[in-house]
Amino acid sequence: MLMWLIRPLGLLNINIRRKPLLWLVVLTSLLLSGCVKYDVGVNFNHSNSGELVQHIKLGERLTSFSGDYIYAWLDSIESRTRKLEGKVRRISQEEVIVTIPFSNGQELQTKFNEFFNSHNNQKVAATTSETESELPKIESNLLLFQNNFLLLVRNRLIYDLDLRSLSLIASKGNVLADTGAILDLEFSLNTPWGAKNIQLTENAVEPEKQGNQLLWRLQPGELNHIEVVFWLPSPLGIGALLIVLFVWGGLYLRYTFMPDPRIQFAPQPTATKS
C-alpha cells in the first residue's frame, strides 16, 4: 500500500548513510515536525455507489531534504488516479486529496488493490539498484464479499496491511528512529448505517467509532488486520419492490373502485321484435 510513501524515506535513509555526520540533525528535524500523514477512507452511499478518498500531507522538512523526488511522487499519484477515473485536488505542493469513485464492491476491490499494489508502485520512478535493495517490502490486500438479500446487501470487508518491515529505520544495524513517530497512517470506513468491527485475530486493529464512521490507526512495524460487516440498501431491490407495489396498487384500484371491464364493455344483447 505504502511503497510510494516509503521510497522517499528510503532515499533519505541512503543519503544519510553516505553522510553519517548529518543523520542526527535530519532525524531530530523529522521527529520534531512529523513527516507524513496518510489517510485512506472508503465511503459508501449504497451498494452501487461510493468513493475511495486519500488525503496525503507531507511535512515541510521532508520536502526540503528530498523535494524533487517527493513532488515527482505526488505527480505520479495524480497520473495513477486519473487512470482509475479519479480526481485530484492539489491543496499545496505538500498536500493532495485523491478521490476515486466505484460503482460496486468488485470495482472497489479492483481499484483499491491496483492503486496500492506494491509491485506496480515499484515502476513509478526509476531509482538506483542500491535504493531498490534497501526499500522494505509492504503487502496490501483488500477483499469485499457481498450477499444480496433483495432490499439489503450484506458486506464483509477484509483488509490486511503488512507493515512489519517498517518497524525501524536503521543504518547498518544502528537504529535511527521508530517509524511510528514519523508515519501517521489511518484507514476509515463510512457507511449509511455504520459497521460492526470483527475481532477474529490477535493482530486485528481496534477502531475508533465516530458516528457512522470507523477509524483505524495503522501501526508501522505490525501486521494490521481489519475485518468488518455492514449492511447497505440495494437500489435495484428497492426499485423492483416499488414497481411491484405500483402495479399491484393499480390493479387493486381498478378492480375495487371501478366497474369490472368485462361487464362494462360486454356486448349488449340486441332487442327482438315480437
Side-chain angles (χ1 to χ4, degrees), residues 13-75:
N13 191 25
I14 292 172
N15 291 334
I16 292 175
R17 295 179 184 184
R18 293 173 180 171
K19 299 179 181 180
L21 297 179
L22 298 179
W23 75 265
L24 183 58
V25 176
V26 174
L27 174 61
T28 303
S29 299
L30 292 177
L31 293 181
L32 289 178
S33 64
C35 194
V36 178
K37 181 175 178 58
Y38 202 128
D39 301 336
V40 179
V42 177
N43 303 327
F44 278 93
N45 301 319
H46 50 73
S47 60
N48 295 325
S49 175
E51 58 185 13
L52 170 63
V53 180
Q54 303 167 65
H55 185 187
I56 307 164
K57 187 174 183 179
L58 307 176
E60 293 182 1
R61 287 188 171 88
L62 174 62
T63 57
S64 66
F65 285 111
S66 302
D68 293 341
Y69 192 91
I70 289 292
Y71 298 140
W73 171 59
L74 292 178
D75 290 340

Side-chain angles (χ1 to χ4, degrees), residues 47 147-154 231-242 244:
S47 60
N147 300 104
N148 198 322
F149 291 89
L150 186 59
L151 301 181
L152 301 174
V153 178
R154 183 181 185 272
W231 293 82
L232 295 172
S234 172
L236 293 178
I238 295 174
L241 177 62
L242 291 176
V244 171

Side-chain angles (χ1 to χ4, degrees), residues 55-222:
H55 185 187
I56 307 164
K57 187 174 183 179
L58 307 176
E60 293 182 1
R61 287 188 171 88
L62 174 62
T63 57
S64 66
F65 285 111
S66 302
D68 293 341
Y69 192 91
I70 289 292
Y71 298 140
W73 171 59
L74 292 178
D75 290 340
S76 67
I77 288 181
E78 293 188 19
S79 175
R80 194 170 186 81
T81 299
R82 293 190 176 95
K83 289 182 179 179
L84 296 176
E85 302 177 344
K87 297 181 180 179
V88 178
R89 182 158 63 97
R90 197 74 173 259
I91 299 177
S92 67
Q93 284 189 316
E94 298 80 20
E95 187 173 3
V96 63
I97 296 179
V98 170
T99 304
I100 301 175
F102 58 86
S103 58
N104 54 60
Q106 182 60 47
E107 186 177 6
L108 166 64
Q109 178 176 311
T110 300
K111 287 187 174 182
F112 190 100
N113 291 328
E114 182 177 346
F115 191 95
F116 290 115
N117 187 283
S118 60
H119 300 292
N120 291 336
N121 292 341
Q122 290 178 358
K123 302 176 183 180
V124 171
T127 56
T128 63
S129 58
E130 180 184 3
T131 302
E132 292 291 344
S133 63
E134 296 295 339
L135 293 178
K137 301 300 182 183
I138 298 174
E139 296 297 332
S140 169
N141 187 48
L142 182 140
L143 299 173
L144 183 63
F145 304 95
Q146 295 184 306
N147 300 104
N148 198 322
F149 291 89
L150 186 59
L151 301 181
L152 301 174
V153 178
R154 183 181 185 272
N155 298 265
R156 182 183 180 189
L157 185 146
I158 302 174
Y159 181 44
D160 288 298
L161 179 63
D162 190 350
L163 299 178
R164 289 175 292 185
S165 59
L166 303 185
S167 58
L168 298 171
I169 296 178
S171 176
K172 297 182 179 179
N174 299 319
V175 174
L176 297 185
D178 180 356
T179 50
I182 297 177
L183 304 178
D184 183 3
L185 312 176
E186 295 181 354
F187 178 86
S188 64
L189 174 66
N190 292 278
T191 61
W193 301 328
K196 181 181 179 181
N197 185 57
I198 302 177
Q199 296 286 106
L200 296 178
T201 62
E202 295 181 357
N203 53 13
V205 184
E206 184 68 26
E208 301 175 9
K209 188 173 183 180
Q210 303 173 357
N212 290 333
Q213 179 191 71
L214 291 181
L215 175 67
W216 292 265
R217 301 187 186 279
L218 305 177
Q219 300 301 318
E222 298 182 10

